[in-house]
């Protein structure tokens, strides 16, 4: 698999710096696992971060701050995430969050004709929303924009929009100004992992009216 659509530079930098929110991190890590060019970009960003730390002047901290930080480290425990089964169809960062071996084990919720969804439960305090979207073969989604940034990773099947063809491993790393109307190819259903900051913003009045009911 060699993806054709990649993570944005700002996403790569935030991922390398550890400041990307939890929902986006799951999608970014799942893409990076299958994409040598984004992996190389993350390594370069991490090296740049290391250089910056080296050239920064030392900042003195109070003895109170130092003592409370060391005490907090003493209290810290290592949280181990469950290791997914080796033959899971799902990317490892996602398989850690879902009790399913494959897409057929997932309890999909039908949201509209040809559109099903599964909310991925993130750990408490995690930022962002993460969901799996399953769109039937040949189906078109209504034209929509996004209330904030959104990253979509194709896990199965393929769709096309004005930016091209998105197949397994490809990411659409969209900011809030982009509106698109994806159409799924006719061979099989398309399953995507979608991280959003805020709910999707549909363009047509009809789609906006049904949106609260379908919950996408
Ligand atoms: Zn990539």
């Amino acid at each position: 698999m060699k993806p054709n659509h990649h993570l944005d530079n700002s996403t790569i930098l935030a991922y390398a710096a550890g400041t990307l929110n939890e929902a986006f991190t799951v999608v970014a890590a799942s893409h990076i696992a299958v994409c040598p060019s984004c992996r190389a970009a993350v390594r370069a960003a991490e090296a740049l971060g290391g250089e910056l730390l080296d050239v920064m002047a030392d900042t003195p901290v109070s003895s109170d701050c130092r003592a409370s930080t060391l005490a907090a480290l003493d209290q810290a425990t290592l949280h181990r995430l469950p290791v997914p089964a080796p033959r899971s169809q799902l990317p490892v960062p996602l398989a850690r969050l879902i009790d399913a071996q494959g897409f057929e084990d997932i309890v999909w919720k039908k949201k509209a004709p040809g559109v099903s969804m599964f909310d991925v439960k993130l750990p408490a305090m995690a930022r962002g929303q993460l969901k799996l979207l399953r769109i039937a073969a040949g189906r078109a989604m209504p034209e929509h924009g996004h209330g904030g940034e959104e990253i979509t990773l194709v896990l199965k099947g393929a769709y096309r929009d004005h930016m091209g063809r998105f197949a397994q491993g490809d990411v659409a790393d969209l900011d809030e100004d982009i509106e698109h109307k994806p159409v799924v190819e006719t061979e099989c259903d398309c399953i995507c992992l979608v991280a959003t900051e805020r709910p999707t913003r549909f363009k047509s009045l009809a789609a906006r009216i049904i949106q609260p009911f379908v919950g996408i």
Side-chain angles (χ1 to χ4, degrees):
M1 186 194 312
K2 198 160 182 291
N4 292 312
H5 297 275
H6 301 279
L7 297 166
D8 201 67
N9 283 340
S10 60
T11 307
I12 295 273
L13 284 172
Y15 180 85
T19 56
L20 198 62
N21 81 31
E22 288 78 358
F24 283 52
T25 298
V26 174
V27 181
S30 300
H31 172 76
I32 288 163
V34 294
C35 180
S37 70
C38 286
R39 255 196 320 273
V42 168
R43 275 199 296 272
E46 285 169 345
L48 183 67
E51 295 279 328
L52 285 173
L53 282 177
D54 274 351
V55 297
M56 272 165 61
D58 289 347
T59 309
V61 294
S62 71
S63 54
D64 274 1
C65 173
R66 188 185 164 82
S68 61
T69 305
L70 291 175
L73 283 174
D74 281 344
Q75 295 294 315
T77 50
L78 197 59
H79 292 284
R80 289 193 186 279
L81 291 164
V83 178
R87 284 205 317 243
S88 174
Q89 249 186 331
L90 312 171
V92 171
L94 176 64
R96 287 189 177 123
L97 300 168
I98 295 184
D99 183 23
Q101 287 285 303
F103 301 121
E104 299 313 319
D105 304 332
I106 290 169
V107 184
W108 295 95
K109 271 191 214 148
K110 204 164 174 156
K111 292 288 180 180
V115 181
S116 306
M117 211 179 81
F118 177 80
D119 270 313
V120 180
K121 229 176 143 44
L122 291 169
M125 310 297 289
R127 296 155 302 159
Q129 298 170 339
L130 191 62
K131 64 196 171 205
L132 282 162
L133 203 56
R134 179 177 197 150
I135 304 165
R139 183 130 203 117
M141 287 284 283
E143 185 169 19
H144 61 277
H146 305 277
E149 282 190 31
E150 175 184 299
I151 311 186
T152 300
L153 170 69
V154 179
L155 299 177
K156 187 173 179 243
Y159 73 82
R160 288 174 189 270
D161 66 10
H162 67 283
M163 286 172 288
R165 177 176 189 265
F166 290 77
Q168 194 183 353
D170 284 329
V171 273
D173 194 347
L174 305 175
D175 64 31
E176 55 192 308
D177 303 324
I178 294 178
E179 291 185 339
H180 68 154
K181 189 180 178 181
V183 180
V184 173
E185 290 187 347
T186 52
E187 290 74 33
C188 69
D189 291 2
C190 184
I191 297 177
C192 297
L193 179 64
V194 186
T196 46
E197 285 182 316
R198 274 165 281 169
T200 306
R201 197 180 64 232
F202 284 99
K203 201 174 178 186
S204 82
L205 181 62
R208 284 208 305 274
I209 290 170
I210 62 160
Q211 185 179 13
F213 302 100
V214 299
I216 51 176

